mmCIF file of all heavy atoms in Angstrom:
data_model
loop_
_atom_site.group_PDB
_atom_site.id
_atom_site.type_symbol
_atom_site.label_atom_id
_atom_site.label_comp_id
_atom_site.label_asym_id
_atom_site.label_seq_id
_atom_site.Cartn_x
_atom_site.Cartn_y
_atom_site.Cartn_z
ATOM 1 N N ILE U 76 118.757 88.712 93.091
ATOM 2 C CA ILE U 76 119.952 88.433 92.318
ATOM 3 C C ILE U 76 120.968 89.502 92.743
ATOM 4 O O ILE U 76 120.773 90.752 92.512
ATOM 5 C CB ILE U 76 119.734 88.527 90.783
ATOM 6 C CG1 ILE U 76 118.655 87.454 90.427
ATOM 7 C CG2 ILE U 76 121.031 88.281 90.072
ATOM 8 C CD1 ILE U 76 118.344 87.335 88.965
ATOM 9 N N LEU U 77 122.066 89.109 93.341
ATOM 10 C CA LEU U 77 123.185 89.968 93.794
ATOM 11 C C LEU U 77 123.845 90.612 92.549
ATOM 12 O O LEU U 77 123.883 89.952 91.559
ATOM 13 C CB LEU U 77 124.185 89.289 94.630
ATOM 14 C CG LEU U 77 123.595 88.391 95.808
ATOM 15 C CD1 LEU U 77 124.789 87.714 96.529
ATOM 16 C CD2 LEU U 77 122.815 89.244 96.762
ATOM 17 N N ARG U 78 124.301 91.855 92.693
ATOM 18 C CA ARG U 78 124.077 92.669 93.881
ATOM 19 C C ARG U 78 122.836 93.537 93.842
ATOM 20 O O ARG U 78 122.232 93.764 94.895
ATOM 21 C CB ARG U 78 125.236 93.604 94.046
ATOM 22 C CG ARG U 78 126.318 93.897 94.088
ATOM 23 C CD ARG U 78 127.257 94.910 93.903
ATOM 24 N NE ARG U 78 127.275 95.454 92.506
ATOM 25 C CZ ARG U 78 127.805 96.629 92.306
ATOM 26 N NH1 ARG U 78 128.363 97.373 93.259
ATOM 27 N NH2 ARG U 78 127.795 97.120 91.039
ATOM 28 N N ALA U 79 122.484 93.994 92.678
ATOM 29 C CA ALA U 79 121.474 95.028 92.643
ATOM 30 C C ALA U 79 120.089 94.583 93.193
ATOM 31 O O ALA U 79 119.354 95.397 93.710
ATOM 32 C CB ALA U 79 121.361 95.560 91.204
ATOM 33 N N GLY U 80 119.829 93.271 93.161
ATOM 34 C CA GLY U 80 118.539 92.766 93.716
ATOM 35 C C GLY U 80 118.431 93.056 95.150
ATOM 36 O O GLY U 80 117.302 93.005 95.725
ATOM 37 N N MET U 101 125.132 86.645 90.938
ATOM 38 C CA MET U 101 125.334 86.572 89.524
ATOM 39 C C MET U 101 125.835 87.942 89.044
ATOM 40 O O MET U 101 125.278 88.951 89.512
ATOM 41 C CB MET U 101 124.008 86.266 88.890
ATOM 42 C CG MET U 101 124.060 85.083 87.974
ATOM 43 S SD MET U 101 122.404 84.848 87.310
ATOM 44 C CE MET U 101 121.691 83.760 88.554
ATOM 45 N N TYR U 102 126.771 88.028 88.142
ATOM 46 C CA TYR U 102 127.054 89.273 87.488
ATOM 47 C C TYR U 102 127.127 89.033 85.960
ATOM 48 O O TYR U 102 127.264 87.913 85.556
ATOM 49 C CB TYR U 102 128.295 89.916 87.969
ATOM 50 C CG TYR U 102 129.633 89.165 87.610
ATOM 51 C CD1 TYR U 102 130.218 89.470 86.402
ATOM 52 C CD2 TYR U 102 130.111 88.164 88.396
ATOM 53 C CE1 TYR U 102 131.364 88.778 86.019
ATOM 54 C CE2 TYR U 102 131.245 87.487 88.043
ATOM 55 C CZ TYR U 102 131.863 87.828 86.838
ATOM 56 O OH TYR U 102 132.985 87.087 86.492
ATOM 57 N N ARG U 103 126.959 90.113 85.248
ATOM 58 C CA ARG U 103 126.935 89.967 83.788
ATOM 59 C C ARG U 103 128.331 90.329 83.306
ATOM 60 O O ARG U 103 128.831 91.410 83.541
ATOM 61 C CB ARG U 103 125.893 90.933 83.184
ATOM 62 C CG ARG U 103 125.561 90.561 81.832
ATOM 63 C CD ARG U 103 124.407 91.434 81.348
ATOM 64 N NE ARG U 103 124.870 92.784 81.007
ATOM 65 C CZ ARG U 103 124.222 93.620 80.212
ATOM 66 N NH1 ARG U 103 123.055 93.269 79.721
ATOM 67 N NH2 ARG U 103 124.660 94.869 79.919
ATOM 68 N N ASP U 104 128.989 89.359 82.624
ATOM 69 C CA ASP U 104 130.314 89.551 82.068
ATOM 70 C C ASP U 104 130.271 90.748 81.139
ATOM 71 O O ASP U 104 129.435 90.795 80.186
ATOM 72 C CB ASP U 104 130.805 88.336 81.313
ATOM 73 C CG ASP U 104 132.182 88.436 80.814
ATOM 74 O OD1 ASP U 104 132.368 89.085 79.732
ATOM 75 O OD2 ASP U 104 133.092 87.904 81.480
ATOM 76 N N GLU U 105 131.124 91.735 81.299
ATOM 77 C CA GLU U 105 131.074 92.971 80.534
ATOM 78 C C GLU U 105 131.310 92.758 79.031
ATOM 79 O O GLU U 105 130.781 93.422 78.216
ATOM 80 C CB GLU U 105 131.954 94.075 81.066
ATOM 81 C CG GLU U 105 131.353 94.739 82.290
ATOM 82 C CD GLU U 105 132.291 95.853 82.856
ATOM 83 O OE1 GLU U 105 133.188 96.336 82.169
ATOM 84 O OE2 GLU U 105 131.946 96.241 83.969
ATOM 85 N N ALA U 108 128.264 89.778 77.949
ATOM 86 C CA ALA U 108 126.878 89.984 78.474
ATOM 87 C C ALA U 108 126.241 88.734 78.958
ATOM 88 O O ALA U 108 125.027 88.696 79.114
ATOM 89 C CB ALA U 108 126.027 90.741 77.437
ATOM 90 N N GLN U 109 127.033 87.715 79.194
ATOM 91 C CA GLN U 109 126.539 86.436 79.708
ATOM 92 C C GLN U 109 126.546 86.408 81.233
ATOM 93 O O GLN U 109 127.501 86.949 81.799
ATOM 94 C CB GLN U 109 127.376 85.270 79.219
ATOM 95 C CG GLN U 109 127.247 84.980 77.706
ATOM 96 C CD GLN U 109 125.819 84.673 77.298
ATOM 97 O OE1 GLN U 109 125.102 83.857 77.919
ATOM 98 N NE2 GLN U 109 125.358 85.406 76.341
ATOM 99 N N PRO U 110 125.545 85.837 81.908
ATOM 100 C CA PRO U 110 125.565 85.853 83.368
ATOM 101 C C PRO U 110 126.616 84.890 83.878
ATOM 102 O O PRO U 110 126.762 83.764 83.362
ATOM 103 C CB PRO U 110 124.169 85.331 83.731
ATOM 104 C CG PRO U 110 123.687 84.639 82.509
ATOM 105 C CD PRO U 110 124.350 85.173 81.319
ATOM 106 N N TYR U 113 128.083 83.227 90.894
ATOM 107 C CA TYR U 113 129.168 83.089 91.858
ATOM 108 C C TYR U 113 128.581 82.682 93.207
ATOM 109 O O TYR U 113 129.389 82.389 94.121
ATOM 110 C CB TYR U 113 130.044 84.306 91.906
ATOM 111 C CG TYR U 113 129.279 85.601 92.320
ATOM 112 C CD1 TYR U 113 129.068 85.989 93.607
ATOM 113 C CD2 TYR U 113 128.798 86.436 91.332
ATOM 114 C CE1 TYR U 113 128.433 87.152 93.945
ATOM 115 C CE2 TYR U 113 128.102 87.639 91.668
ATOM 116 C CZ TYR U 113 127.897 87.948 92.972
ATOM 117 O OH TYR U 113 127.258 89.102 93.314
ATOM 118 N N LEU U 129 113.937 88.846 92.370
ATOM 119 C CA LEU U 129 114.123 90.281 92.400
ATOM 120 C C LEU U 129 115.393 90.697 91.726
ATOM 121 O O LEU U 129 116.411 90.346 92.053
ATOM 122 C CB LEU U 129 114.145 90.798 93.866
ATOM 123 C CG LEU U 129 113.075 90.300 94.844
ATOM 124 C CD1 LEU U 129 113.381 90.868 96.250
ATOM 125 C CD2 LEU U 129 111.685 90.643 94.377
ATOM 126 N N ASP U 130 115.225 91.623 90.736
ATOM 127 C CA ASP U 130 116.339 92.230 90.102
ATOM 128 C C ASP U 130 115.846 93.512 89.463
ATOM 129 O O ASP U 130 114.879 93.522 88.729
ATOM 130 C CB ASP U 130 116.978 91.298 89.026
ATOM 131 C CG ASP U 130 118.343 91.687 88.582
ATOM 132 O OD1 ASP U 130 118.599 92.973 88.555
ATOM 133 O OD2 ASP U 130 119.157 90.856 88.189
ATOM 134 N N PRO U 131 116.535 94.649 89.727
ATOM 135 C CA PRO U 131 115.934 95.867 89.163
ATOM 136 C C PRO U 131 116.082 95.974 87.667
ATOM 137 O O PRO U 131 115.295 96.754 87.008
ATOM 138 C CB PRO U 131 116.858 97.018 89.834
ATOM 139 C CG PRO U 131 118.028 96.298 90.333
ATOM 140 C CD PRO U 131 117.653 94.946 90.625
ATOM 141 N N MET U 132 116.935 95.208 87.054
ATOM 142 C CA MET U 132 117.158 95.304 85.574
ATOM 143 C C MET U 132 116.989 93.935 84.865
ATOM 144 O O MET U 132 117.611 92.963 85.342
ATOM 145 C CB MET U 132 118.550 95.838 85.233
ATOM 146 C CG MET U 132 119.024 97.061 85.946
ATOM 147 S SD MET U 132 118.155 98.483 85.373
ATOM 148 C CE MET U 132 119.020 98.814 83.883
ATOM 149 N N LEU U 133 116.246 93.878 83.800
ATOM 150 C CA LEU U 133 116.202 92.732 82.914
ATOM 151 C C LEU U 133 116.604 93.287 81.555
ATOM 152 O O LEU U 133 115.832 93.968 80.898
ATOM 153 C CB LEU U 133 114.816 92.162 82.985
ATOM 154 C CG LEU U 133 114.500 90.835 82.256
ATOM 155 C CD1 LEU U 133 113.183 90.265 82.705
ATOM 156 C CD2 LEU U 133 114.600 90.840 80.745
ATOM 157 N N ALA U 134 117.852 93.023 81.165
ATOM 158 C CA ALA U 134 118.370 93.530 79.935
ATOM 159 C C ALA U 134 118.254 92.502 78.820
ATOM 160 O O ALA U 134 117.301 92.447 78.077
ATOM 161 C CB ALA U 134 119.833 94.060 80.128
ATOM 162 N N THR U 135 119.249 91.619 78.730
ATOM 163 C CA THR U 135 119.144 90.546 77.690
ATOM 164 C C THR U 135 118.219 89.423 78.275
ATOM 165 O O THR U 135 117.804 88.567 77.457
ATOM 166 C CB THR U 135 120.498 89.887 77.464
ATOM 167 O OG1 THR U 135 121.006 89.215 78.628
ATOM 168 C CG2 THR U 135 121.534 90.898 77.000
ATOM 169 N N GLY U 136 118.024 89.381 79.522
ATOM 170 C CA GLY U 136 117.207 88.354 80.162
ATOM 171 C C GLY U 136 118.005 87.147 80.575
ATOM 172 O O GLY U 136 117.522 86.245 81.225
ATOM 173 N N GLY U 137 119.331 87.147 80.351
ATOM 174 C CA GLY U 137 120.188 86.047 80.718
ATOM 175 C C GLY U 137 120.214 85.721 82.160
ATOM 176 O O GLY U 137 120.164 84.631 82.623
ATOM 177 N N SER U 138 120.316 86.803 82.995
ATOM 178 C CA SER U 138 120.441 86.616 84.475
ATOM 179 C C SER U 138 119.165 86.061 85.006
ATOM 180 O O SER U 138 119.169 85.100 85.841
ATOM 181 C CB SER U 138 120.757 87.916 85.148
ATOM 182 O OG SER U 138 121.959 88.423 84.651
ATOM 183 N N ILE U 139 118.024 86.566 84.528
ATOM 184 C CA ILE U 139 116.683 86.084 85.032
ATOM 185 C C ILE U 139 116.512 84.653 84.585
ATOM 186 O O ILE U 139 115.997 83.850 85.367
ATOM 187 C CB ILE U 139 115.536 87.013 84.451
ATOM 188 C CG1 ILE U 139 115.669 88.385 85.146
ATOM 189 C CG2 ILE U 139 114.224 86.365 84.699
ATOM 190 C CD1 ILE U 139 115.230 88.436 86.602
ATOM 191 N N LYS U 140 116.912 84.262 83.388
ATOM 192 C CA LYS U 140 116.778 82.953 82.894
ATOM 193 C C LYS U 140 117.541 82.001 83.855
ATOM 194 O O LYS U 140 117.021 80.943 84.235
ATOM 195 C CB LYS U 140 117.381 82.837 81.493
ATOM 196 C CG LYS U 140 116.391 82.432 80.458
ATOM 197 C CD LYS U 140 117.122 81.997 79.184
ATOM 198 C CE LYS U 140 116.746 82.840 78.072
ATOM 199 N NZ LYS U 140 117.526 82.549 76.783
ATOM 200 N N GLY U 165 114.568 91.648 75.803
ATOM 201 C CA GLY U 165 115.018 90.718 76.834
ATOM 202 C C GLY U 165 113.851 89.932 77.385
ATOM 203 O O GLY U 165 113.956 88.744 77.708
ATOM 204 N N LEU U 187 117.897 97.686 73.548
ATOM 205 C CA LEU U 187 119.252 97.542 74.158
ATOM 206 C C LEU U 187 120.221 98.223 73.196
ATOM 207 O O LEU U 187 120.121 98.083 71.972
ATOM 208 C CB LEU U 187 119.638 96.067 74.306
ATOM 209 C CG LEU U 187 118.767 95.225 75.212
ATOM 210 C CD1 LEU U 187 119.092 93.700 75.035
ATOM 211 C CD2 LEU U 187 119.032 95.625 76.653
ATOM 212 N N LYS U 191 124.548 96.224 75.192
ATOM 213 C CA LYS U 191 123.450 95.485 75.887
ATOM 214 C C LYS U 191 122.958 96.206 77.122
ATOM 215 O O LYS U 191 122.573 95.617 78.135
ATOM 216 C CB LYS U 191 123.863 94.063 76.302
ATOM 217 C CG LYS U 191 124.468 93.232 75.137
ATOM 218 C CD LYS U 191 123.399 92.812 74.191
ATOM 219 C CE LYS U 191 123.952 91.812 73.098
ATOM 220 N NZ LYS U 191 123.141 91.803 71.922
ATOM 221 N N PHE U 192 122.999 97.547 77.077
ATOM 222 C CA PHE U 192 122.436 98.372 78.193
ATOM 223 C C PHE U 192 121.063 98.779 77.749
ATOM 224 O O PHE U 192 120.772 99.073 76.533
ATOM 225 C CB PHE U 192 123.291 99.601 78.412
ATOM 226 C CG PHE U 192 124.311 99.384 79.496
ATOM 227 C CD1 PHE U 192 125.409 98.630 79.330
ATOM 228 C CD2 PHE U 192 124.110 100.022 80.746
ATOM 229 C CE1 PHE U 192 126.316 98.396 80.300
ATOM 230 C CE2 PHE U 192 125.043 99.842 81.769
ATOM 231 C CZ PHE U 192 126.154 99.011 81.552
ATOM 232 N N ILE U 193 120.067 98.830 78.722
ATOM 233 C CA ILE U 193 118.729 99.161 78.400
ATOM 234 C C ILE U 193 118.638 100.675 78.034
ATOM 235 O O ILE U 193 119.246 101.528 78.794
ATOM 236 C CB ILE U 193 117.767 98.883 79.596
ATOM 237 C CG1 ILE U 193 117.885 97.364 79.966
ATOM 238 C CG2 ILE U 193 116.363 99.280 79.282
ATOM 239 C CD1 ILE U 193 117.148 96.995 81.254
ATOM 240 N N ASP U 199 123.677 101.661 85.169
ATOM 241 C CA ASP U 199 123.874 100.445 85.876
ATOM 242 C C ASP U 199 123.297 100.522 87.279
ATOM 243 O O ASP U 199 123.776 101.288 88.134
ATOM 244 C CB ASP U 199 125.449 100.220 85.950
ATOM 245 C CG ASP U 199 125.763 98.834 86.580
ATOM 246 O OD1 ASP U 199 125.242 98.536 87.624
ATOM 247 O OD2 ASP U 199 126.517 98.060 85.908
ATOM 248 N N ALA U 200 122.212 99.744 87.531
ATOM 249 C CA ALA U 200 121.475 99.887 88.729
ATOM 250 C C ALA U 200 122.413 99.580 89.999
ATOM 251 O O ALA U 200 122.345 100.317 91.002
ATOM 252 C CB ALA U 200 120.309 98.897 88.784
ATOM 253 N N GLY U 201 123.207 98.499 89.861
ATOM 254 C CA GLY U 201 124.101 98.100 91.052
ATOM 255 C C GLY U 201 125.067 99.255 91.405
ATOM 256 O O GLY U 201 125.206 99.607 92.557
ATOM 257 N N ASP U 202 125.700 99.792 90.302
ATOM 258 C CA ASP U 202 126.663 100.896 90.547
ATOM 259 C C ASP U 202 125.983 102.125 91.131
ATOM 260 O O ASP U 202 126.530 102.805 92.068
ATOM 261 C CB ASP U 202 127.351 101.219 89.264
ATOM 262 C CG ASP U 202 128.462 100.205 88.995
ATOM 263 O OD1 ASP U 202 128.876 99.539 89.839
ATOM 264 O OD2 ASP U 202 128.894 100.112 87.732
ATOM 265 N N PHE U 205 124.889 101.394 94.863
ATOM 266 C CA PHE U 205 126.029 101.206 95.866
ATOM 267 C C PHE U 205 127.152 102.243 95.647
ATOM 268 O O PHE U 205 128.212 102.107 96.255
ATOM 269 C CB PHE U 205 126.520 99.816 95.809
ATOM 270 C CG PHE U 205 125.434 98.787 96.207
ATOM 271 C CD1 PHE U 205 124.948 97.862 95.263
ATOM 272 C CD2 PHE U 205 124.966 98.788 97.484
ATOM 273 C CE1 PHE U 205 123.950 96.989 95.673
ATOM 274 C CE2 PHE U 205 123.914 97.919 97.860
ATOM 275 C CZ PHE U 205 123.417 97.000 96.917
ATOM 276 N N THR U 207 129.252 102.909 93.139
ATOM 277 C CA THR U 207 130.543 102.311 92.684
ATOM 278 C C THR U 207 130.771 102.659 91.201
ATOM 279 O O THR U 207 131.529 101.866 90.523
ATOM 280 C CB THR U 207 130.489 100.811 92.881
ATOM 281 O OG1 THR U 207 129.375 100.204 92.243
ATOM 282 C CG2 THR U 207 130.579 100.389 94.355
HETATM 283 C C1 PRP J 1 122.918 93.741 86.069
HETATM 284 C C2 PRP J 1 121.486 93.698 86.605
HETATM 285 C C3 PRP J 1 121.033 92.326 86.234
HETATM 286 C C4 PRP J 1 121.740 92.021 84.994
HETATM 287 C C5 PRP J 1 120.748 92.248 83.841
HETATM 288 O O1 PRP J 1 123.755 93.137 86.952
HETATM 289 O O2 PRP J 1 121.361 94.003 87.917
HETATM 290 O O3 PRP J 1 121.342 91.394 87.224
HETATM 291 O O4 PRP J 1 122.813 92.924 84.879
HETATM 292 O O5 PRP J 1 121.335 91.890 82.641
HETATM 293 P P1 PRP J 1 120.858 90.688 81.745
HETATM 294 O O6 PRP J 1 119.388 90.696 81.700
HETATM 295 O O7 PRP J 1 121.511 90.979 80.412
HETATM 296 O O8 PRP J 1 121.415 89.374 82.321
HETATM 297 P P2 PRP J 1 125.323 93.482 86.919
HETATM 298 O O9 PRP J 1 126.036 92.473 86.089
HETATM 299 O O10 PRP J 1 125.587 94.927 86.663
HETATM 300 O O11 PRP J 1 125.788 93.034 88.422
HETATM 301 P P3 PRP J 1 125.522 93.841 89.840
HETATM 302 O O12 PRP J 1 124.097 93.630 90.196
HETATM 303 O O13 PRP J 1 126.443 93.163 90.720
HETATM 304 O O14 PRP J 1 125.791 95.295 89.654
#
Side-chain angles (χ1 to χ4, degrees):
I76 301 182
L77 308 180
R78 313 152 300 159
M101 234 179 269
Y102 69 88
R103 200 174 75 159
D104 184 281
E105 282 184 14
Q109 292 301 309
Y113 59 89
L129 310 180
D130 194 329
M132 309 289 281
L133 189 164
T135 65
S138 304
I139 291 290
K140 242 196 241 180
L187 295 169
K191 308 285 186 203
F192 267 70
I193 302 173
D199 185 309
D202 281 340
F205 297 114
T207 54

